[in-house]
Amino acid sequence: MSLSTLKVRTYGDPCLRKKCVPVKEVGSSERMVMNAMIETMHQSKGVGLAAPQVGITQRFFVADVDDGPMVIINPEIVKRGGSCLLEEGCLCLPEVTIIVKRAEEITVNYTDENNQSMTLTCNGLLARVIQHETDHLDGVLIIDYATDEEKAQFGEQLERLKAQQKE
Ligand SMILES: [Zn+2]
């Protein structure tokens, strides 16, 4: 059996800058898309993939930090504690890494793929992935956190990615 994988959009694609709309209900067609996103994330060796990264401007993402895949729908980060700096990459920004300051521990309310309301408190990599992916749902990318030095360092790569959009 092979699930279809989806095309991951790259920097410059207008989808990545949209504010995504809430998901009303998860049915079988939504679940199919979510499974394809999990497959795409695994194939791309990512730890998270948000819907707008594959051109769907709805508020959900998939994540897998080696505990098995999770689907997180309509996330609301309701509590943040501590802060830490860590280098992040993004499937939409190949070859770009930016040091991003994020909360160390978060509590997130969300809906899962079975339309169940969930609350999760987590830290470490999962907390970071959830914050990164939730940013995507608001059209925010890691380069928005870049220092002037990082912008200069990755400027050419960003221009290259933007130029590819026009091809
Ligand atoms: Zn990303």
Side-chain angles (χ1 to χ4, degrees):
M1 184 192 76
S2 96
L3 279 167
S4 56
T5 53
L6 304 160
K7 184 180 179 284
V8 177
R9 309 295 177 98
T10 49
Y11 181 66
D13 188 308
C15 260
L16 297 173
R17 290 305 198 180
K18 296 258 164 70
K19 192 162 166 66
C20 297
V21 298
V23 176
K24 287 201 183 87
E25 217 194 336
V26 180
S28 56
S29 62
E30 285 80 10
R31 236 170 256 129
M32 234 158 70
V33 169
M34 288 162 183
N35 285 333
M37 280 174 61
I38 290 169
E39 183 79 7
T40 305
M41 167 180 68
H42 285 154
Q43 280 207 1
S44 320
K45 303 202 184 318
V47 288
L49 184 67
Q53 293 184 274
V54 293
I56 302 166
T57 49
Q58 293 185 22
R59 302 188 75 81
F60 70 93
F61 60 84
V62 298
D64 190 345
V65 295
D66 275 347
D67 292 334
M70 292 177 82
V71 179
I72 297 197
I73 301 157
N74 301 334
E76 300 268 5
I77 298 172
V78 292
K79 217 171 134 191
R80 297 167 198 264
S83 78
C84 60
L85 292 168
L86 202 75
E87 198 175 77
E88 290 183 18
C90 180
L91 294 175
C92 297
L93 289 154
E95 290 164 53
V96 175
T97 53
I98 304 290
I99 293 172
V100 184
K101 185 179 177 181
R102 299 206 191 266
E104 205 165 289
E105 184 178 284
I106 59 163
T107 299
V108 60
N109 293 337
Y110 67 99
T111 303
D112 75 3
E113 67 277 23
N114 301 310
N115 297 296
Q116 299 290 311
S117 295
M118 310 289 280
T119 296
L120 172 72
T121 297
C122 60
N123 56 29
L125 182 58
L126 184 57
R128 185 154 286 264
V129 171
I130 290 172
Q131 292 173 84
H132 176 119
E133 301 308 332
T134 301
D135 269 357
H136 273 300
L137 308 182
D138 292 316
V140 175
L141 299 171
I142 53 173
I143 43 159
D144 302 336
Y145 298 96
T147 59
D148 289 343
E149 287 80 12
E150 287 170 325
K151 276 181 196 146
Q153 188 185 347
F154 296 112
E156 270 183 40
Q157 172 65 353
L158 295 175
E159 287 307 317
R160 253 199 306 274
L161 289 168
K162 256 199 228 168
Q164 281 170 12
Q165 288 299 319
K166 297 186 186 102
E167 280 167 15

